[in-house]
Amino acid sequence: MGDITDAAADASGSPPWTKETNLFMQIVVNPDGTVTRPEAPLVPASEVAAAGVISRDVPLDASAGTYLRLYLPSPSPAAPAATASKLPVVLYFHGGGFVILSPATVFYHGHCEAMATAVPAIVASLEYRLAPEHRLPAAYEDAAAAVAWLRDGAPGDPWVAAHGDLSRCFLMGSSSGGNMAFFAALRTGGLDLGPATVRGVLLHQPYFGGVDRTPSEAGSVDDAMLPLEANDRLWSLALPLGADRDHEFCNPVKAMAPEVLAGLPPRCLVTGNLDDPLIDRLREFARWLQDRGSAEVVVKADVAGFHASELFVPEIAEVLFAAMREFVSTGDDA
C-alpha cells in the first residue's frame, strides 16, 4: 500500500495518492462478509495543546464502541457570563465511505484541530460503527445518539459548560459524513434538545449516488481519490443487503418524498470541489433542497480541488473554513 503517514498533496494541489495506492482500493472483502481494512495512522487525543488545540475522548455508547473526540481551541476564551462570546458547537461526522477511517485517523484529527481554531468552535467528532459489519442505518443510529448527546451530555461537559454556546449547534459532515449529517438533520425538526439548538447543517461533498451515472461519476474510472470501482464497492458494503444505489440512503433525491425536508434545520450550507466525482450529484441534491425544501440553502461548489482535498491542501481547507465562519456567524446578532 502507499505510505499515508506523510500523505500530502503537492504544491499544485494534486491528490496525495494514485488510483492504485488509494485506500478504498485496498479494502479486502473476506468470505464471511467482513472486510480487512487498510492501515491508517491513528493519533491519540491530547490535553497538551498542539496546533493551538486540546482534545479528549468522551464515551458515547460503550456497547457500540462509539465515542466523541472533542476539540477545544487553546488557549480557550475566558468563560464569560453571557453566551455571546462563547464558541459554537460543531458536531462532525468524518468520511470514509461508511467503511473505513475514524476521528483518530491522522488527517481527520488534524482537520478537526484546524477547524476548531479557524472557525473557531468546539468540535465534537463522532466515532461510529462501520459497514459492512454494521450496515446502514447503524451509522445513522450512532449519529442520532451523538445529536442526543447535545441535550443529555454536553451541558455537563466541562469544556462545553465553560466555553460552548449550546444555542449555536451545527451538524457537519464530509463525504459519507455529509450523508450522515443530512439524515441526522432530518430528525432534528421534531426533537426536544433541551438547552441545545441546532441552527444549521453543513454538508461538505456529501456522499450520494444512484443507479444511473452522472457525467462526473462516469468520468471517474481513474480518479485518484474516489475511483468508480471503489465508489460502487463502498455502496455495496454500506447499503442494506439487497438494496441498490437508488435506495433512499444513497439517492434521497429520487427515493424520498420532498416533505421529509421539513425536518431540516432552518439553514443549510452545501460545499464541494469542482474535480470531485460527486460534484454533479451534489448540484442535483442542492437544487432539490432549494426547490422542494423550506430551509435557506447556501451553495458554494465552485472550489477547484479533488475529493477530500481539504484534508491535504491547507489553502483549500481555509476556503472551507471561511465558508463555515460566514455560515456559523450569520444571525449571531439576530
Side-chain angles (χ1 to χ4, degrees), residues 3 19 66 82 105 130 132 168 189 191 201 209 234 253 273 282 306 323:
D3 181 4
K19 177 181 178 181
T66 59
T105 302
L130 299 176
R168 292 190 297 148
L191 286 180
V201 57
L234 292 170
V253 174
N273 301 327
L282 178 149
F306 51 87

Side-chain angles (χ1 to χ4, degrees), residues 76-128:
S76 54
T83 60
S85 299
K86 288 190 173 185
L87 299 171
V89 178
V90 176
L91 183 57
Y92 181 77
F93 309 112
H94 69 80
F98 303 107
V99 177
I100 62 173
L101 307 181
S102 161
T105 302
V106 61
F107 42 80
Y108 271 115
H109 178 78
H111 183 60
C112 287
E113 285 185 323
M115 184 189 301
T117 57
V119 174
I122 294 175
V123 177
S125 181
L126 174 65
E127 168 80 350
Y128 54 87

